[in-house]
Amino acid sequence: MLPNNKLKLITLSIALACSHSTTAQAQQIERQQVEQTSSTTNTQAEDQALEKIVITGSRIKRDSFSVPTPIATMNAESLNDAGFGSLADILFEEMPQVSEGTGNGNSQSSVQNTGLSTIDLRELGVSRTLTLIDGRRVVSNSYSGNYVSLSTIPKGMVDRVEIITGGASAAYGSDAIAGVVNIITQQDKEGATFHARGGESTQGGAAEYTISADYGTSYDNGKGYFFFSATYDEEKGLSYWDRKRAQQQDSWDYDEERMCNVMLTATYDPDTKTAYQCMRDIDKSQWTSLSDSIPGGVFDESSSFKPDAGFWYDGTTLRNDWQEERHGINFNQFTMLKVPDKDISAAVKTEYEFDNEVEAYFQLQYSRNTSRNVKSPESEDECDAIVTYDPANNQFGSDCMGRIPYDNPYMPDAIRAEASSKGVKWDRLFSEVGNIINDNERTTIRTWGGLRGYLWDDWEWDVSVGYGKFKQEQNRSNEIFVARVKQALNAERLADGTIQCKDEQARGQGCVPINLFGEGSITAEAANYIRANPSITTDIDQVTVSGFITGDLFELPAGAVGSAFGFEYRKDSQSVATNVPNGGVTFNYVPTFDGDVSVREAFAELSLPLLKDAPLAKSLSAEVSARIADYSWANTGLIQSYKAGFIYEPIEGYSIRANWARAMRAPTITELMSPPRGDYNSFDDVCDGVTATSMEPGHDNCRKEAGILATIAAEGKFEDENNGYSPNSGNSELFEETADTITLGLSLAPSFIPNLRMALDYYDIQIDDAVTALGNEDIIKFCYASSMEYGSENEFCRDIKRDEEGQVFEVNQRVINTDEIRTKGYDIAMEYLYDASEYGRFKVKADWTHVIEYSITSTGPDGQYEDLYEGYLGDDIFEDKGAIALTWYKNDWRVRWSTKYKGAVEASRSRYEDWQAAMTKNDARCDAGESSCISNPEPLWQGSLPSVVTHSISVNYSMDLNNDRSLSIYGGINNLFDEKGPFIVGGRGNFDSAYGSGVGRFAFIGAKYQF
């Protein structure tokens, strides 16, 4: 082990992390107050103040927590009292700077990331938030980017979490543009702990269970230390059937002619040629949102709204009075509000000091995460397009199951009598094949080991080697092999009355003819023939070699100049393999691809004490750091990251700090190398509402689409019913993005209010050449409604595919370097400690974050344009978020009341902007005196969503038992007043994950036994 005084420093640094979400300077003030209270003489206090410690964001040991960069922390006590099983959920709920990453409440439709548990700083993206364990980079848990799942770390292993928001690349390299989340593991815990926790929503569903155990001990007369921890976590999930709100049907729009909010109903109006009615004229019982993909099938459907629009099967009876909003199926029933998953994780660490005072250390972590997302059976909606791949020429294409041939022997005579010679359009749910089941199993191994010691008495060196291995095996059961359905539909009846597939080659491959007419009509043999069980296997490896040396260079009048110098080598390798057949299946296609990157880095840091105990300058210090990284990719230049900052304390208890950082992020392997990967994102088609005479921007070009023209001829108007399919594509021409971060902070600890600490921090982050993808609506607009000529020569038009009815069935999202992403705002932190003598002690902790701006600037065909995202729920950017907690301590009792606030937001940026455009058009009609003017247009329904406040309470009682044993029993209720957030049109189950995905009031109880 390290010398005793060094152990003392480590212990002190842990003890100082006693409150969550505070700034570095506030921590320094708290440390000074603790020291002054506990010391017996001024000399002892001064000696303690000179001890050096290490914090996140630097490798230099400091005289205090006095650093220019704001740091937020959360310790084990706060993690326990929060009442959530997921570490990511705790940070998201308790720290306003933290935004939701990927979790069980928002990854239901994800191909790759269901079961992950990540967070996002400043809403700049998970790949711009670097997650470390004990200050070390670790292998990613997704090919999507640098996603480190917090569920891979055993609960008992976590001592505290430290977060730097903004500009940490000079210390830790690429990916730290938004900041760093550093998981600090247990350092010196002795003895064994068994911990059990369980909870469930008081309305049912969302049950959670956690069992963990850990053990720590020193050995060989204190030279060595050993710690082991293991955790089992299970989340049962939350289903459509658990919440009545989820069962409320809704399909909302804003009618730009009637200027009212409309909801889809089962009543078709032949005058307006729609089944959408103004919401003021109906009640919720009339709202509908049904699908024509029913188990028995719908055939030759002529309209989505009109009655008597086609043939269908009611059970086993063929009928010809089909109307989708009366007879359809509610597909929302197949979507989980929260996906269930299970995590098992274990870790071991050991340290040993040899007689020469060189210390060896080693850590090994293992985790296995499994999640199962049960979805609807696969469905077909009149030739839904799927992605195909031809390996012979490396070309992607599309295909669909197509129409049922006119001479299909299973076709009822009533349907054939009205069928086109081209065959019969159809919609159907493949219930006989079974529900789609998306199983993900992730296995993560992380290990590192190294040596550290001292040179010249007070210079510390550290050299280590690390290895990480991640493997994900995803199996998606009961998909449909599209080419086999086409073969099975192309059938013939033989003279003996038997039916077979026409294609001889297909028969040789086991083709079984398929009957789509009626519920249960697909035989088990036919279901087996068309069933596909595709899988995706992802392997990611990471090797790191790093070393640094830190110590004091020389003395200045105000103190020693601290320094750190180091290097790091890293190699990341990734492969993604799929067994999807070349002919394509009904699955978000993820192609096989692989790649690797090597990085060589060097870094240096200096801490400069400039003034001490001078007039109007109790202290003034500065720090500078730099990191240079050479990536093996040709397009990526030399990655250069710098940081400079100062902290100025004019008088004791008051300080000002400033920090400037330049950070660069290199593209990931997937961003550079991935072919199109299947994904879905909602978007609005600019061609929505096109008629034969409409004059809105782009409508002239929209009418050049044959499918749109055909729809106008049949129904008088084209209405957008896109499927949201928008695959993501890499781009080999990408280069690094560059961010400049400025933070300014003020800390106050006035002597006239003992134990009060306050801090205000302003941040401004500007990312140039940001790696991102244009939105689907921008791509569509640039094709149809820009200065670029419409047609095949327009690169944006080439990214859009439409079906024979004009509906968009694919928008290809290529990753590009855009102009700029910028966010700025401020954080406020306050803590007050009050000793009420025999009534106990009280601690109040408050945090507030305000987003002033979040914008993305891009260059399109008509020049540069800016989109603002702050204050929109659809982009998960709240302008205001806050949390306050009051904790009471007395003897063995601890009671905590906490309140969280999320400010008012607009539901959707695109919805709000569309409504504003409609209002402008109506104003113009009114100004021109047109009869179509609506004098009293309705405001946007659910445009503005109210602020949401939730309250939670927890109680902890600890008792000492015999023989140094103790037992803690705790419990509480999160979201005490069952606030589920506003009704969200288009949300999963009409909920949003930002408000808890519909869990509502959640009760938990737990016990911790230590010996």
Side-chain angles (χ1 to χ4, degrees):
M1 298 292 288
L2 295 176
N4 289 336
N5 64 323
K6 302 299 179 182
L7 287 174
K8 185 178 180 182
L9 300 182
I10 295 173
T11 303
L12 176 63
S13 67
I14 297 172
L16 290 175
C18 63
S19 64
H20 68 277
S21 189
T22 186
T23 61
Q25 180 63 11
Q27 289 177 317
Q28 178 201 12
I29 296 168
E30 179 178 355
R31 178 181 180 218
Q32 291 170 341
Q33 292 171 335
V34 170
E35 290 165 350
Q36 290 164 2
T37 301
S38 60
S39 61
T40 57
T41 66
N42 290 335
T43 301
Q44 288 174 319
E46 291 171 2
D47 290 342
Q48 289 179 345
L50 291 175
E51 291 181 321
K52 294 184 177 182
I53 54 180
V54 175
I55 59 169
T56 298
S58 173
R59 290 175 175 82
I60 301 175
K61 291 190 172 184
R62 308 300 178 94
D63 289 341
S64 69
F65 274 19
S66 178
V67 292
T69 306
I71 296 178
T73 67
M74 193 168 187
N75 69 357
E77 176 188 299
S78 299
L79 294 172
N80 185 82
D81 289 349
F84 295 95
S86 163
L87 178 58
D89 287 346
I90 293 172
L91 298 177
F92 168 57
E93 288 291 333
E94 300 290 326
M95 292 181 145
Q97 307 97 321
V98 174
S99 297
E100 187 179 25
T102 301
N104 290 339
N106 64 4
S107 60
Q108 292 91 330
S109 61
S110 174
V111 177
Q112 166 70 10
N113 294 325
T114 302
L116 285 183
S117 178
T118 67
I119 62 173
D120 181 358
L121 295 177
R122 306 292 189 202
E123 276 297 337
L124 289 173
V126 177
S127 285
R128 297 188 181 100
T129 299
L130 181 60
T131 300
L132 307 174
I133 301 177
D134 286 337
R136 297 177 180 277
R137 280 178 174 266
V138 292
V139 68
S140 173
N141 294 114
S142 172
Y143 71 70
S144 298
N146 187 24
Y147 292 10
V148 176
S149 183
L150 302 189
S151 62
T152 60
I153 306 166
K155 295 285 194 304
M157 200 73 175
V158 179
D159 177 63
R160 68 188 186 277
V161 181
E162 295 180 349
I163 295 178
I164 294 179
T165 52
S169 288
Y172 297 110
S174 181
D175 307 326
I177 282 179
V180 166
V181 178
N182 192 9
I183 311 298
I184 310 296
T185 63
Q186 293 287 351
Q187 303 293 322
D188 58 357
K189 185 177 179 180
E190 297 276 350
T193 302
F194 291 97
H195 188 185
R197 172 194 170 276
E200 186 172 4
S201 169
T202 58
Q203 287 185 277
E208 298 178 1
Y209 307 101
T210 302
I211 300 174
S212 66
D214 56 69
Y215 174 70
T217 185
S218 57
Y219 59 93
D220 196 9
N221 296 319
K223 291 183 178 180
Y225 178 72
F226 172 86
F227 186 81
F228 169 80
S229 181
T231 299
Y232 173 79
D233 266 323
E234 182 174 358
E235 294 189 18
K236 293 290 189 179
L238 189 68
S239 81
Y240 163 94
W241 302 105
D242 290 326
R243 295 293 180 265
K244 288 185 178 180
R245 186 197 291 186
Q247 298 162 37
Q248 173 62 57
Q249 299 176 41
D250 59 86
S251 179
W252 172 92
D253 200 355
Y254 192 87
D255 191 305
E256 297 185 9
E257 296 178 1
R258 291 177 283 177
M259 295 302 290
C260 67
N261 296 280
V262 294
M263 193 68 73
L264 186 59
T265 70
T267 302
Y268 177 76
D269 185 344
D271 294 330
T272 60
K273 296 183 178 181
T274 182
Y276 281 93
Q277 296 190 47
C278 291
M279 292 173 61
R280 62 183 176 236
D281 301 327
I282 59 177
D283 57 44
K284 279 188 176 183
S285 65
Q286 296 171 269
W287 298 3
T288 61
S289 181
L290 300 178
S291 168
D292 51 13
S293 290
I294 62 174
V298 177
F299 307 95
D300 265 346
E301 181 183 26
S302 60
S303 172
S304 296
F305 306 130
K306 296 178 182 179
D308 303 323
F311 293 92
W312 68 292
Y313 279 87
D314 177 5
T316 58
T317 302
L318 179 64
R319 296 170 53 173
N320 64 354
D321 60 343
W322 169 255
Q323 185 176 3
E324 183 169 323
E325 297 308 320
R326 291 188 184 276
H327 307 130
I329 185 173
N330 187 353
F331 247 70
N332 289 337
Q333 66 183 284
F334 299 111
T335 301
M336 296 290 293
L337 306 185
K338 290 194 74 174
V339 178
D341 76 348
K342 299 177 182 178
D343 298 296
I344 184 169
S345 56
V348 62
K349 65 182 296 184
T350 186
E351 301 170 352
Y352 188 83
E353 183 192 3
F354 299 100
D355 292 338
N356 60 1
E357 294 189 349
V358 172
E359 184 181 51
Y361 58 89
F362 173 80
Q363 188 165 160
L364 172 65
Q365 297 182 353
Y366 167 86
S367 74
R368 180 175 174 270
N369 168 273
T370 57
S371 64
R372 166 167 282 209
N373 191 5
V374 180
K375 302 187 175 185
S376 72
E378 192 54 78
S379 64
E380 167 68 2
D381 185 11
E382 297 184 2
C383 203
D384 282 334
I386 57 93
V387 178
T388 61
Y389 176 66
D390 182 358
N393 54 18
N394 194 31
Q395 289 292 318
F396 289 91
S398 65
D399 196 4
C400 73
M401 297 179 193
R403 298 190 179 207
I404 302 173
Y406 180 83
D407 61 354
N408 182 280
Y410 294 112
M411 188 182 298
D413 291 339
I415 296 178
R416 184 179 285 110
E418 297 188 20
S420 163
S421 60
K422 296 179 181 179
V424 174
K425 297 187 301 180
W426 56 282
D427 305 88
R428 196 185 194 280
L429 195 68
F430 286 89
S431 301
E432 297 91 339
V433 178
N435 289 72
I436 296 170
I437 302 175
N438 189 0
D439 282 313
N440 277 291
E441 180 177 304
R442 296 182 175 85
T443 304
T444 307
I445 296 175
R446 301 185 179 111
T447 184
W448 60 85
L451 298 172
R452 58 188 172 216
Y454 292 90
L455 292 174
W456 313 305
D457 295 329
D458 59 354
W459 279 70
E460 182 179 352
W461 59 269
D462 188 307
V463 178
S464 64
V465 177
Y467 174 74
K469 170 70 175 178
F470 169 72
K471 187 179 188 67
Q472 177 176 353
E473 295 178 284
Q474 181 185 87
N475 296 296
R476 185 156 172 141
S477 306
N478 301 325
E479 292 286 355
I480 307 298
F481 194 158
V482 171
R484 290 188 176 184
V485 174
K486 296 177 72 172
Q487 293 168 349
L489 288 174
N490 187 24
E492 61 185 358
R493 189 185 299 273
L494 302 179
D496 61 1
T498 60
I499 298 174
Q500 69 175 12
C501 300
K502 284 185 179 181
D503 188 286
E504 183 178 356
Q505 183 178 358
R507 290 200 305 271
Q509 296 172 350
C511 181
V512 178
I514 189 170
N515 179 6
L516 298 179
F517 299 95
E519 292 186 26
S521 60
I522 300 176
T523 65
E525 293 77 14
N528 288 335
Y529 176 66
I530 66 173
R531 181 185 290 111
N533 298 315
S535 66
I536 303 173
T537 301
T538 301
D539 287 283
I540 303 176
D541 293 88
Q542 183 182 80
V543 176
T544 59
V545 180
S546 62
F548 69 90
I549 186 170
T550 178
D552 295 338
L553 286 175
F554 53 84
E555 290 285 333
L556 291 176
V561 175
S563 65
F565 306 93
F567 72 92
E568 183 172 312
Y569 167 81
R570 184 173 73 258
K571 183 173 182 178
D572 292 295
S573 305
Q574 172 182 296
S575 66
V576 179
T578 179
N579 69 348
V580 174
N582 296 337
V585 300
T586 52
F587 175 61
N588 284 354
Y589 187 81
V590 176
T592 295
F593 68 100
D594 59 66
D596 62 72
V597 60
S598 297
V599 190
R600 295 169 176 83
E601 298 180 280
F603 59 86
E605 300 177 52
L606 290 177
S607 175
L608 305 164
L610 303 177
L611 293 173
K612 183 177 182 181
D613 296 327
L616 295 179
K618 180 172 176 58
S619 68
L620 174 64
S621 61
E623 69 169 32
V624 293
S625 57
R627 176 181 285 255
I628 298 175
D630 182 21
Y631 279 72
S632 57
W633 289 320
N635 284 349
T636 302
L638 194 65
I639 301 295
Q640 304 172 60
S641 299
Y642 307 99
K643 184 174 72 171
F646 74 84
I647 185 162
Y648 169 52
E649 189 178 5
I651 58 176
E652 186 172 356
Y654 299 84
S655 65
I656 301 170
R657 61 179 169 273
N659 186 76
W660 169 83
R662 165 154 293 183
M664 289 185 171
R665 186 180 78 89
T668 67
I669 294 172
T670 298
E671 287 171 338
L672 274 172
M673 300 181 179
S674 173
R677 310 182 312 281
D679 195 12
Y680 285 85
N681 291 292
S682 61
F683 59 87
D684 294 326
D685 186 355
V686 74
C687 296
D688 182 43
V690 170
T691 65
T693 58
S694 60
M695 300 299 294
E696 280 78 4
H699 281 202
D700 283 343
N701 288 327
C702 293
R703 282 186 285 268
K704 295 177 183 178
E705 296 281 358
I708 292 178
L709 271 180
T711 299
I712 293 173
E715 300 185 12
K717 182 179 180 181
F718 173 78
E719 294 188 354
D720 175 24
E721 296 177 0
N722 71 79
N723 62 2
Y725 184 64
S726 52
N728 304 303
S729 299
N731 183 351
S732 61
E733 301 301 317
L734 290 177
F735 52 91
E736 67 276 7
E737 58 185 25
T738 303
D740 287 314
T741 299
I742 296 173
T743 59
L744 301 172
L746 174 66
S747 293
L748 308 173
S751 58
F752 56 87
I753 308 179
N755 299 322
L756 172 66
R757 290 167 293 279
M758 299 182 65
L760 169 65
D761 284 287
Y762 168 83
Y763 66 90
D764 187 336
I765 304 173
Q766 179 177 312
I767 307 173
D768 293 321
D769 302 318
V771 176
T772 187
L774 291 177
N776 292 328
E777 292 174 10
D778 286 334
I779 294 171
I780 296 172
K781 181 177 70 174
F782 294 159
C783 170
Y784 296 97
S786 74
S787 60
M788 293 183 70
E789 185 176 351
Y790 164 81
S792 60
E793 297 301 314
N794 184 322
E795 61 177 313
F796 299 104
C797 293
R798 293 197 297 269
D799 287 334
I800 304 168
K801 296 180 181 179
R802 294 182 182 271
D803 62 21
E804 61 183 13
E805 294 182 351
Q807 297 295 337
V808 175
F809 66 81
E810 180 180 321
V811 178
N812 184 25
Q813 285 193 331
R814 290 172 292 121
V815 182
I816 62 171
N817 287 100
T818 194
D819 292 356
E820 176 187 289
I821 297 176
R822 187 172 189 181
T823 182
K824 56 185 177 181
Y826 58 81
D827 302 323
I828 301 174
M830 184 276 289
E831 182 177 271
Y832 179 59
L833 306 175
Y834 179 71
D835 190 343
S837 188
E838 69 269 21
Y839 298 105
R841 294 177 294 115
F842 295 87
K843 179 171 75 173
V844 179
K845 184 68 182 68
D847 295 276
W848 189 272
T849 244
H850 176 74
V851 178
I852 299 172
E853 176 187 337
Y854 191 111
S855 62
I856 298 180
T857 302
S858 304
T859 299
D862 301 314
Q864 200 172 69
Y865 63 98
E866 180 184 63
D867 291 318
L868 298 176
Y869 292 86
E870 72 273 7
Y872 289 105
L873 178 65
D875 301 296
D876 197 27
I877 301 176
F878 292 83
E879 290 184 284
D880 292 287
K881 291 194 296 183
I884 185 169
L886 171 64
T887 307
W888 171 68
Y889 304 83
K890 182 172 174 59
N891 299 328
D892 298 325
W893 290 91
R894 182 173 73 245
V895 180
R896 180 176 184 264
W897 178 282
S898 64
T899 299
K900 290 99 175 178
Y901 172 86
K902 291 182 178 176
V905 289
E906 296 291 334
S908 165
R909 185 173 64 92
S910 60
R911 181 193 301 177
Y912 182 74
E913 291 175 351
D914 290 345
W915 172 74
Q916 285 185 314
M919 293 290 287
T920 300
K921 293 175 185 176
N922 185 65
D923 289 342
R925 293 195 297 265
C926 294
D927 292 341
E930 297 179 12
S931 59
S932 58
C933 159
I934 304 298
S935 59
N936 189 25
E938 285 188 355
L940 187 66
W941 181 69
Q942 286 207 327
S944 296
L945 302 176
S947 59
V948 171
V949 179
T950 58
H951 304 274
S952 302
I953 186 171
S954 65
V955 179
N956 186 293
Y957 176 71
S958 300
M959 64 186 81
D960 293 328
L961 307 176
N962 295 329
N963 301 319
D964 296 326
R965 299 167 185 258
S966 65
L967 175 66
S968 296
I969 299 174
Y970 66 91
I973 300 176
N974 288 334
N975 195 356
L976 187 61
F977 302 111
D978 197 30
E979 173 58 72
K980 297 185 180 72
F983 187 101
I984 305 297
V985 173
R988 292 179 176 89
N990 302 312
F991 299 102
D992 192 275
S993 59
Y995 303 114
S997 300
V999 172
R1001 185 187 296 112
F1002 183 89
F1004 63 93
I1005 189 170
K1008 184 185 294 185
Y1009 177 59
Q1010 295 177 287
F1011 62 96

